[in-house]
Amino acid sequence: SGSAGAIVSIQDYNKTFDNNNLTVTPASGEKINGGIADGNLIISTEGQGLTFVYVDSTVGWKTVHENEFTAGGSSFVSASGGNTVSTSGNCRIHTFTGPGTFTVSQVAACAANNVVSYLIVAGGGGSGGNRYHIQGGGGGGAGGFREAKSPVTPYTASPLDGYPSSPNRITVTAQAYPIVVGGGGSAGGTGGGSVPEGSNATSGGNSSFGGITSAGGGFGGQPSAQGPAQQPGQPGGSGGGGGGGSPQRPGGTGNTPPTSPPQGSNGGAGSVCNQTLGGSGGGATGAGSTSPGCSPPPSSPSRGTGATTSITGSPVAYSTGGSFSSYNPSGADPSCAGADNTGNGGDASNAGPGPTTPSSCLPKYSGKGGGSGIVIIRYKYQ
């Protein structure tokens, strides 16, 4: 109800008028800004503020001041979570080597600082088994590789930097973000060890953050020798290599499902000549190859090449495809499974009745497991 000189001020202090409109109703018969008597005024602008002064019965309540409220506070993001938290220059880096939660407790007043950089690598696929040192399974495909570099977080990104494409940008708000880190796929077996004869390898697990998902690497196919049926490489972030033998088995298709930039490459086909070894797994930036003894010859290196980024402050290669095995009549390959938390595909092992395999590695005849995935988030904190 108005009387000459009366003042009423309204302010959207919590910035919700855009979703929760405020209706201002004058007393019976009164006006707002000379409008119709009893006419309402609806305020629907986020952060809006108005000051009314009652003038007289002709004009009624007159708006004499209008403003838009801007929140104060920090210019930077504040967040928690991850297996490790480190800094590089003015940036903070959260690294997840397993599932967890990235919790943003405060966003930046400057909108550009809320766009974070990230690396999402899925688990690598396991490799196929091996039989009699010349019957080889395919190498595992690398886990999908996805990266976006925010302009406010300077570092040397990989060639697969997806910024500024809108589907690849993540702008954080004050909330909890679930982090999924895919495990590496298991190895296939053709007998002679703890991995049962006839067991197939498995693909790597997906990794995700903020609505962006990297697909697990496809597993390498089994060879045509005794035991399980010969297989092609399987599709995934990068494809697994095809199993060795006849007929020739293709490698799996990479970048499955498709993303832009591509999250991975195709696996190599298995060999059908001389040494019937499997193909190598695809990597983030290069396809897998057919093993020696067949055309085309393998590139160097034979495994699908990965991608190198300095999101952590130092250059690290991720998502390298698993290698095909080499002819080794003397016995088992002493190397171990794919590197941890790099999304590498598992290597195909050399098999045979020869020297003992280190206890830290899988037994002879079996393939090797893929490396686990990783999620890294980088933002400006000062």
Side-chain angles (χ1 to χ4, degrees):
S1 179
S3 60
I7 298 174
V8 173
S9 290
I10 297 170
Q11 178 68 61
D12 180 17
Y13 86 102
N14 207 31
K15 305 183 72 174
T16 60
F17 282 177
D18 54 331
N19 296 315
N20 299 279
N21 301 163
L22 177 69
T23 300
V24 180
T25 303
S28 178
E30 294 182 355
K31 305 175 182 179
I32 296 176
N33 290 327
I36 62 173
D38 303 324
N40 293 337
L41 175 66
I42 297 177
I43 305 176
S44 59
T45 301
E46 179 185 355
Q48 186 73 51
L50 294 173
T51 298
F52 301 88
V53 175
Y54 190 82
V55 181
D56 53 32
S57 60
T58 301
V59 175
W61 291 96
K62 176 71 174 178
T63 54
V64 296
H65 179 73
E66 183 175 351
N67 76 292
E68 188 171 326
F69 173 69
T70 301
S74 174
S75 297
F76 307 104
V77 169
S78 180
S80 60
N83 299 93
T84 61
V85 179
S86 58
T87 59
S88 176
N90 291 326
C91 296
R92 182 164 282 139
I93 302 154
H94 296 247
T95 299
F96 293 82
T97 56
T101 303
F102 179 68
T103 303
V104 179
S105 56
Q106 176 178 279
V107 296
C110 174
N113 288 344
N114 293 321
V115 180
V116 300
S117 297
Y118 64 82
L119 171 67
I120 304 173
V121 174
S127 76
N130 203 315
R131 186 77 172 181
Y132 298 135
H133 63 255
I134 60 171
Q135 296 286 348
F145 179 102
R146 303 190 69 180
E147 179 181 21
K149 174 189 172 185
S150 169
V152 301
T153 61
Y155 70 92
T156 302
S158 74
L160 300 178
D161 176 16
Y163 189 88
S165 300
S166 58
N168 299 317
R169 284 200 303 267
I170 296 180
T171 301
V172 297
T173 58
Q175 63 172 295
Y177 292 87
I179 303 295
V180 177
V181 176
S186 60
T190 53
S194 63
V195 180
E197 182 170 3
S199 62
N200 296 327
T202 61
S203 297
N206 295 350
S207 295
S208 63
F209 157 59
I212 305 294
T213 299
S214 293
F219 67 81
Q222 298 283 32
S224 61
Q226 302 173 32
Q230 184 191 13
Q231 295 174 315
Q234 299 301 298
S238 282
S246 181
Q248 187 176 42
R249 297 296 184 180
T253 303
N255 194 30
T256 304
T259 63
S260 181
Q263 60 178 311
S265 306
N266 297 341
S271 168
V272 294
C273 337
N274 192 6
Q275 305 155 19
T276 55
L277 303 177
S280 62
T285 60
S289 302
T290 299
S291 60
C294 276
S295 179
S299 59
S300 180
S302 59
R303 66 182 73 231
T305 51
T308 298
T309 174
S310 295
I311 190 170
T312 60
S314 301
V316 179
Y318 299 89
S319 297
T320 298
S323 176
F324 49 68
S325 60
S326 59
Y327 178 74
N328 182 11
S330 64
D333 184 349
S335 62
C336 296
D340 188 27
N341 294 122
T342 56
N344 291 344
D347 289 342
S349 65
N350 301 323
T356 58
T357 304
S359 59
S360 59
C361 304
L362 293 169
K364 59 189 178 182
Y365 300 125
S366 64
K368 296 178 182 174
S372 299
I374 194 168
V375 173
I376 300 172
I377 303 166
R378 178 177 175 135
Y379 59 88
K380 191 173 183 179
Y381 81 102
Q382 67 176 13

